[in-house]
Amino acid sequence: MEKLSSVLFWDIDMNEADMDKYPAHFIQRVLEYGNMDDWRLLRSYYGLQKIVDECKQLRTLDPVCLSYICAISHTKPEEYRCYHTRQLNPTPWNY
C-alpha cells in the first residue's frame, strides 16, 4: 500500500487504511486518479477478477474507467451498477 501514489489518498490516514477491509475505495481511487504503476500494483494485489467484482458494485465510476474495465475483462457495461444508476440521474450537460 505504501507504494501507491500518496496523492490518491490525501483524505485518509494511510497508517490506518486497510486495503483488505475497504477494497472498493482503493480500487475506485486508483482507477479514476491513479497512474499505470498504481494500476499494476492494484492488479497484482487484488487480481483482475476481484477488481471486476468490486467495480460491479460501485454506485459511481467514471465512464472511461468503466469502458477500460469492460475492455480488459470482456464484460458488458450493463453488468455494472454504476451503468444503471448513471442512467437514472442524467445531468443536463450530458444530453
Side-chain angles (χ1 to χ4, degrees):
M1 184 166 80
E2 53 276 344
K3 293 181 181 180
L4 291 172
S5 299
S6 60
V7 296
L8 296 176
F9 305 102
W10 59 269
D11 58 338
I12 61 173
D13 183 8
M14 290 301 282
N15 296 326
E16 296 180 17
D18 187 1
M19 289 181 69
D20 295 321
K21 192 172 182 181
Y22 304 106
H25 180 72
F26 286 91
I27 291 168
Q28 186 170 12
R29 284 283 177 95
V30 169
L31 276 174
E32 292 182 343
Y33 304 110
N35 58 35
M36 283 306 291
D37 290 334
D38 296 326
W39 167 250
R40 287 184 194 104
L41 286 168
L42 188 79
R43 189 170 176 173
S44 68
Y45 186 80
Y46 289 120
L48 182 60
Q49 189 58 48
K50 171 77 171 172
I51 293 171
V52 170
D53 292 342
E54 290 294 328
C55 285
K56 285 182 179 182
Q57 301 304 317
L58 294 174
R59 289 182 185 262
T60 61
L61 187 62
D62 183 75
V64 173
C65 297
L66 177 61
S67 296
Y68 178 71
I69 287 294
C70 289
I72 65 170
S73 65
H74 306 290
T75 56
K76 296 181 181 180
E78 295 83 14
E79 298 176 30
Y80 294 79
R81 183 180 189 182
C82 61
Y83 178 81
H84 298 287
T85 57
R86 183 188 67 200
Q87 289 185 340
L88 292 175
N89 301 313
T91 54
W93 53 85
N94 287 340
Y95 287 113

